[in-house]
């Protein structure tokens, strides 16, 4: 069986990726430092605890498992945090990825699927966000991911590293079979925080900013189901296996939802009120981020099937109610 090294395989998206990799006949080896991941989420293949910054440990893991490709999810990913502590983001995400890439090259493991973000586009009023849009991140998180994209391109030219880069829009939902789901510590994402407020685990959801230049004054995002997202990663591995060229793909549905629309949909799906208050803007938040590209559908054959807002909330709610990872 072909082995794939999955950095961040104990995290939200990485654990779902391991599930689909295993279902597709691969062996996913999780490499994770468990700072934000959970060992309980490593269910689909071997686990190797380690840090991205630990070159010796990475060398040992490459030598032991001989992966054919890497899916690189491990990263700090909170926009707000990245504005308060950019150094930690640059060190962990950028230096960590450099250490990983150099270890991969030493091991001659040259197929690389990378988890990037629409946050690399920044704030671009009226611009269609397809893969050719200018990248002008407005937060340190997005800047760190853009730097890694550059790094992959540089090592592609110098060492033949082959990459598929996915720029995610907002990932939501959970494995419908309930084996893995969304969890972050601390939680900062809209949908899980809202579900917490709905069932009384938090007093209320705070809407960050109601004076944006949008129809209802709240930020607009493009939400994609985590299962659809990881299916795209599988297609990315196959793309590289087939010797196709380095490529960047947006992963979003092309439909934007405001924070208030997400709140309304959650109230509908759960049939409960959403306790909420209105607060100031969160530094680093762009007004609207919606994918303007069909490249993943046209070229990879990606067809997201669960990425409707009610489906994402229903799957997230089922996971939420299962009590996994409650602290
Ligand atoms: N929001 C609130 N209240 C909250 C939490 C979030 O109003 O308590 C708002 C945010 O201001 C934003 C929207 O809900 O407008 C979504 O916020 P999230 O924190 O759920 O997601 P982000 O858009 O900040 O970031 C996420 C990922 C990033 C990724 C980005 C792309 O965390 O990794 O999507 O948009 F880059």
């Amino acid at each position: 069986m072909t082995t794939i090294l999955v950095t961040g395989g104990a995290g939200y998206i990485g654990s779902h990726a391991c599930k689909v990799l295993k279902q597709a006949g691969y062996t996913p080896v999780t490499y994770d430092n468990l700072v934000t991941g959970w060992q309980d989420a490593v269910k689909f293949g071997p686990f190797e605890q380690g840090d991205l910054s630990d070159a010796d440990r990475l060398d040992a893991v490459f030598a032991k498992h001989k992966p054919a490709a890497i899916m690189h999810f491990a990263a700090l990913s909170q926009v707000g945090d990245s504005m308060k502590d950019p150094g930690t983001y640059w060190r962990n995400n950028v230096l960590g990825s450099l250490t990983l890439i150099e270890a991969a090259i030493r091991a001659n493991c040259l197929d690389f699927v990378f988890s990037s973000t629409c946050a690399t586009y920044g704030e671009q009023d009226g611009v269609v966000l397809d893969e050719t849009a200018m990248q002008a991140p407005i937060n340190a998180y997005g800047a760190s991911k853009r730097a890694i994209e550059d790094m992959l391109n540089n090592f592609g030219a110098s060492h033949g590293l082959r990459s598929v880069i996915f720029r995610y829009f907002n990932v939501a939902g959970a494995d419908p079979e309930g084996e893995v789901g969304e969890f972050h510590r601390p939680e900062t994402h809209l949908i899980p925080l809202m579900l917490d407020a709905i069932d009384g685990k938090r007093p209320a959801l705070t809407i960050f900013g109601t004076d944006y230049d949008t129809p209802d004054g709240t930020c607009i995002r493009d939400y994609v189901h985590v299962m659809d997202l990881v299916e795209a990663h599988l297609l990315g591995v196959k793309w590289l296996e087939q010797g196709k060229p380095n490529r960047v793909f947006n992963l979003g549905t092309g439909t934007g939802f405001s924070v208030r629309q997400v709140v309304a949909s959650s109230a509908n799906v759960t049939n409960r009120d959403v306790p909420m208050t209105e607060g100031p803007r969160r530094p680093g938040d762009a007004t609207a981020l919606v994918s303007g590209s069909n490249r993943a559908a046209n070229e990879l054959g990606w067809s997201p099937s669960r990425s409707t807002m009610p489906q994402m909330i229903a799957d997230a709610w089922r996971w939420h109610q299962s009590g996994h990872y409650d602290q």
Side-chain angles (χ1 to χ4, degrees):
M1 282 211 292
T2 306
T3 296
I4 311 290
L5 185 68
V6 182
T7 74
Y12 169 39
I13 301 171
S15 60
H16 288 77
C18 289
K19 175 163 177 151
V20 300
L21 281 169
K22 184 172 182 209
Q23 282 173 339
Y26 293 88
T27 301
V29 174
T30 290
Y31 186 82
D32 199 300
N33 63 7
L34 299 183
V35 168
T36 57
W38 295 76
Q39 193 162 352
D40 288 356
V42 183
K43 299 181 169 178
F44 310 104
F47 175 55
E48 297 286 357
Q49 186 164 355
D51 201 274
L52 285 180
S53 64
D54 188 342
D56 291 343
R57 179 86 181 108
L58 281 166
D59 284 343
V61 169
F62 276 107
K64 178 175 169 190
H65 294 283
K66 300 185 175 41
I70 301 162
M71 281 191 190
H72 179 32
F73 297 99
L76 296 173
S77 64
Q78 293 169 19
V79 169
D81 241 24
S82 80
M83 297 299 283
K84 291 184 205 139
D85 185 10
T88 298
Y89 275 70
W90 280 87
R91 196 169 305 107
N92 185 81
N93 292 359
V94 180
L95 273 185
S97 297
L98 175 61
T99 309
L100 173 67
I101 289 168
E102 290 182 326
I105 288 169
R106 280 194 295 278
N108 201 31
C109 175
L110 298 179
D111 285 2
F112 205 101
V113 176
F114 178 53
S115 160
S116 188
T117 170
C118 66
T120 61
Y121 293 124
E123 180 95 81
Q124 301 193 40
D125 205 16
V127 172
V128 174
L129 295 182
D130 66 17
E131 293 84 352
T132 64
M134 189 178 65
Q135 289 178 287
I138 59 167
N139 52 61
Y141 167 64
S144 73
K145 290 283 186 170
R146 186 186 58 178
I148 300 162
E149 290 193 14
D150 288 346
M151 210 186 278
L152 290 170
N153 291 329
N154 293 162
F155 282 97
S158 63
H159 290 79
L161 190 70
R162 306 176 63 248
S163 60
V164 166
I165 293 172
F166 288 117
R167 294 188 189 137
Y168 309 166
F169 286 70
N170 285 53
V171 189
D175 168 21
E177 291 165 3
E179 287 189 280
V180 281
E182 184 165 13
F183 51 88
H184 300 100
R185 39 180 186 199
E187 189 52 77
T188 63
H189 291 86
L190 176 63
I191 292 175
L193 286 177
M194 187 167 42
L195 298 180
D196 272 355
I198 286 174
D199 77 359
K201 292 196 177 113
R202 290 172 202 267
L205 173 78
T206 302
I207 296 186
F208 294 148
T210 54
D211 60 347
Y212 284 95
D213 185 16
T214 61
D216 67 20
T218 64
C219 289
I220 292 176
R221 295 286 183 273
D222 178 341
Y223 292 83
V224 55
H225 196 294
V226 64
M227 294 308 293
D228 289 334
L229 186 97
V230 296
E231 283 295 337
H233 287 66
L234 198 54
L235 296 170
V237 166
K238 292 182 187 298
W239 173 278
L240 292 172
E241 281 174 354
Q242 291 160 10
K244 293 186 177 169
N246 297 359
R247 202 73 171 132
V248 176
F249 297 98
N250 278 359
L251 294 179
T253 65
T255 303
F257 290 85
S258 72
V259 174
R260 288 195 202 280
Q261 286 175 316
V262 177
V263 169
S265 187
S266 301
N268 266 336
V269 169
T270 61
N271 210 16
R272 307 244 199 122
D273 289 334
V274 183
M276 61 181 175
T277 58
E278 295 181 359
R281 293 182 178 201
R282 184 173 64 177
D285 276 347
T287 304
L289 288 167
V290 179
S291 178
S293 167
N294 291 321
R295 185 186 284 182
N298 295 342
E299 297 185 17
L300 278 178
W302 184 53
S303 62
S305 59
R306 297 189 76 83
S307 295
T308 64
M309 185 54 70
Q311 185 68 66
M312 288 186 281
I313 291 171
D315 287 347
W317 182 229
R318 189 177 322 106
W319 169 255
H320 186 91
Q321 288 186 302
S322 73
H324 285 84
Y325 307 109
D326 279 352
Q327 300 198 58

